[in-house]
Amino acid sequence: MARSGQPRVLLVEDEPAQRTVLAYNLEAEGFAVTQADNGEDAMVLVDEEDPDIIILDWMMPKVSGIEVCRRLKMRPETRGIPIIMLSARAEEVDRIRGLETGADDYVIKPYSVLELMARARAQLRRVRPSTAGVVLEHEDIRLDPESHRVYRGENVLKLGPTEFKLLVTLMERPGRVFSREQLLDLVWGRDIYVDTRTVDVHVGRLRKSLMQFGGSDPVRTVRGAGYALG
Amino acid sequence: MARSGQPRVLLVEDEPAQRTVLAYNLEAEGFAVTQADNGEDAMVLVDEEDPDIIILDWMMPKVSGIEVCRRLKMRPETRGIPIIMLSARAEEVDRIRGLETGADDYVIKPYSVLELMARARAQLRRVRPSTAGVVLEHEDIRLDPESHRVYRGENVLKLGPTEFKLLVTLMERPGRVFSREQLLDLVWGRDIYVDTRTVDVHVGRLRKSLMQFGGSDPVRTVRGAGYALG
DNA sequence: CAGGCCTGTTACACTTTCGTCGCATAGGCT
DNA sequence: AGCCTATGCGACGAAAGTGTAACAGGCCTG
């Protein structure tokens, strides 16, 4: 559970028919799909949705796929997201490679959907290897997703399921500010409707749990924006 | 030919990313891993390395996994080696079954690495029951897979078959939290339909058995997640 | 074929956790 | 300072998760 719930894919393709087919297949594979039909929207959605992987068409009006790719790979906070490029011609792959855009994989149209799915899964595994044996750490907090145990210093903490998921989410990207909406999405799940204030309550409970043996408050409130760790 | 040392696995998968992840996990599990990315090499390596178990991708260029499997199961000297097939789609499993290739187990992609590891261990146990006198231990619980005997301290415990398998599963990875679904899969087997609450009941029975001579409860309930040992 | 063991399901009690509300408090802006 | 909004926090009814006893059916054994 590098992140709770489904892996997220951002699908950027200007041709509606192809996009629909791909989206359908990706969802059938268990991905949560966000769609964009141009590069500009894609850049915005990357920040909003924080996808685990991006599938990017090479030829698009306005901001081309290759440009999106180049920009994303320049920013440290998005560099780690795997990008799979779709290109219409085999010769273009060489250009893509030559341009050193930093795409992580390439698939040539016409591609086999099955193949693309396989490559998407492969990239996902590469970045997120089933969280095997990973222990999240931040300052004196340690969290082992496998055993579901949380330590603060020498003490073992007892957290409820939601507090646990919340902490996992925050610890996966320490310092990053999550909006209440994002947290609802990541911790509770997309199509669950609960008041955003509920997040506040659970953050409060998490704080209390984390500080029950003393220590400083590791959760930072960013007024008007959300919460972050550290 | 009970062999000493690490169990050997031959991993045949043409997709580099997936192969790498699997190899990593298998090594973490204590296997000595030999890798191949095609069926031809696999056939050679079977003779050279004499693996205890083979994990075989179904779709591969040249000699397909299914063909490798068929050939190995025809030769008396390799017939005994368990083969786990990886297949990309559920429908293919039926084909594998129908073709009577003799694969001993199959896992559908995208699979859980944990599940694959568990199945690999299970196959290994089946063929190599001695496991060279390996006895699972956790705190004061000892479990001898060969004699099917379980000890708690000085006492011998009598467990039912399901309780036993459940305990084996938990003891193979002490501390790890297993969801009810995972336990159903690993203990009862896939394609068995039983209510998840049944797991609760059997965990309860296992607990009673484990504590019949006193001692603390070694099974940890993780609310909203599942059960773990210790 | 009777008896015992094991199994899966169900029902009920109990506990924990959840989501919301109301009000107190803190932060920022004019 | 004064106002307004965002946030913290205690309380509470509701919902969900879990432990366990009881029961009925299946399987094997003697």
Side-chain angles (χ1 to χ4, degrees):
Chain A
M1 190 216 304
R3 175 113 49 83
S4 46
Q6 299 174 303
R8 298 180 173 195
V9 56
L10 173 59
L11 174 61
V12 192
E13 159 73 73
D14 62 313
E15 218 288 302
Q18 294 204 42
R19 195 175 65 242
T20 307
V21 171
L22 277 182
Y24 174 83
N25 278 280
L26 286 164
E27 279 174 358
E29 289 280 340
F31 286 93
V33 182
T34 304
Q35 303 183 34
D37 63 2
N38 67 78
E40 275 179 35
D41 291 0
M43 291 299 296
V44 175
L45 287 169
V46 167
D47 292 324
E48 282 182 6
E49 298 289 334
D50 190 27
D52 297 285
I53 184 171
I54 302 170
I55 296 177
L56 195 53
D57 189 31
W58 143 265
M59 274 253 280
M60 280 188 304
K62 297 193 207 175
V63 187
S64 75
I66 200 132
E67 180 61 18
V68 173
C69 183
R70 203 179 55 73
R71 290 191 198 169
L72 289 176
K73 289 301 180 183
M74 281 171 58
R75 294 166 53 197
E77 66 270 31
T78 55
R79 182 172 293 154
I81 306 174
I83 297 180
I84 298 181
M85 291 282 273
L86 306 177
S87 59
R89 301 166 170 282
E91 305 92 64
E92 287 176 350
V93 170
D94 297 329
R95 287 183 64 191
I96 296 174
R97 283 212 185 95
L99 288 169
E100 285 174 2
T101 52
D104 299 271
D105 203 351
Y106 320 85
V107 177
I108 302 165
K109 296 184 188 181
Y111 47 82
S112 139
V113 172
L114 181 62
E115 182 195 351
L116 179 52
M117 296 302 119
R119 289 183 185 278
R121 284 196 304 270
Q123 287 299 329
L124 192 62
R125 288 223 169 71
R126 183 172 68 76
V127 180
R128 205 212 251 191
S130 83
T131 325
V134 175
V135 177
L136 300 172
E137 289 191 60
H138 175 74
E139 291 174 1
D140 60 344
I141 305 169
R142 277 180 307 134
L143 185 152
D144 180 2
E146 183 172 287
S147 69
H148 265 245
R149 280 212 171 92
V150 183
Y151 306 86
R152 174 127 205 214
E154 300 301 312
N155 300 112
V156 182
L157 303 183
K158 192 171 157 302
L159 305 181
T162 306
E163 287 171 48
F164 182 81
K165 275 191 262 183
L166 183 56
L167 182 57
V168 170
T169 304
L170 293 174
M171 286 189 76
E172 271 166 353
R173 294 183 180 242
R176 154 156 194 161
V177 178
F178 293 89
S179 72
R180 290 172 174 72
E181 285 75 15
Q182 285 178 321
L183 289 174
L184 278 179
D185 239 35
L186 296 168
V187 176
W188 277 258
R190 319 211 100 194
D191 21 55
I192 305 291
Y193 71 100
V194 284
D195 198 291
T196 58
R197 288 303 311 277
T198 301
V199 177
D200 296 19
V201 178
H202 280 276
V203 167
R205 286 170 181 161
L206 176 58
R207 277 183 167 135
K208 192 198 273 187
S209 295
L210 287 172
M211 296 192 289
Q212 61 184 307
F213 295 108
S216 60
D217 183 358
V219 181
R220 181 165 49 104
T221 300
V222 182
R223 201 178 172 79
Y227 299 97
L229 205 66
Chain B
M1 56 139 158
R3 204 183 304 161
S4 52
Q6 292 179 305
R8 300 179 176 187
V9 56
L10 173 60
L11 174 60
V12 192
E13 160 72 74
D14 62 311
E15 218 291 302
Q18 294 206 39
R19 197 175 62 241
T20 306
V21 171
L22 277 182
Y24 173 84
N25 278 281
L26 286 163
E27 280 172 2
E29 289 281 327
F31 286 95
V33 183
T34 305
Q35 303 184 33
D37 63 2
N38 66 78
E40 275 179 36
D41 290 357
M43 291 301 295
V44 175
L45 286 169
V46 168
D47 292 325
E48 282 183 6
E49 300 287 334
D50 189 27
D52 297 285
I53 185 172
I54 301 171
I55 295 177
L56 195 52
D57 189 31
W58 144 267
M59 275 253 280
M60 281 189 306
K62 298 193 207 175
V63 187
S64 75
I66 200 130
E67 179 62 20
V68 171
C69 182
R70 205 179 54 75
R71 289 191 197 169
L72 289 175
K73 289 300 180 183
M74 280 172 57
R75 293 166 53 196
E77 66 270 30
T78 55
R79 180 174 295 155
I81 307 174
I83 297 180
I84 298 180
M85 291 281 271
L86 307 178
S87 61
R89 300 180 161 279
E91 303 93 66
E92 286 175 0
V93 169
D94 297 327
R95 289 184 62 190
I96 295 175
R97 279 205 189 109
L99 288 168
E100 286 173 359
T101 52
D104 299 270
D105 202 352
Y106 45 88
V107 176
I108 302 167
K109 300 184 187 182
Y111 48 79
S112 133
V113 171
L114 171 65
E115 184 195 347
L116 180 53
M117 296 301 118
R119 292 188 182 278
R121 283 196 305 268
Q123 285 300 327
L124 194 62
R125 260 203 313 282
R126 186 174 66 75
V127 179
R128 213 196 195 191
S130 62
T131 319
V134 165
V135 176
L136 296 173
E137 289 191 62
H138 175 74
E139 291 174 1
D140 61 343
I141 305 169
R142 278 179 308 133
L143 184 151
D144 181 359
E146 185 174 22
S147 66
H148 260 239
R149 251 189 261 273
V150 183
Y151 305 86
R152 174 124 205 216
E154 299 301 312
N155 302 110
V156 183
L157 304 182
K158 194 169 156 309
L159 303 183
T162 306
E163 288 172 47
F164 182 79
K165 271 191 267 182
L166 185 55
L167 183 58
V168 169
T169 303
L170 292 175
M171 286 189 76
E172 272 169 349
R173 276 182 158 269
R176 157 136 214 161
V177 176
F178 294 88
S179 72
R180 289 170 175 73
E181 285 75 15
Q182 286 177 324
L183 289 173
L184 279 179
D185 221 41
L186 297 171
V187 176
W188 278 257
R190 62 176 65 223
D191 36 64
I192 304 288
Y193 157 73
V194 283
D195 197 289
T196 58
R197 288 305 310 277
T198 301
V199 177
D200 296 20
V201 177
H202 280 276
V203 167
R205 287 169 181 162
L206 175 58
R207 277 182 166 135
K208 193 195 275 187
S209 296
L210 288 172
M211 296 192 289
Q212 61 184 304
F213 295 108
S216 60
D217 183 357
V219 181
R220 178 167 53 109
T221 300
V222 183
R223 194 166 240 266
Y227 298 97
L229 206 66

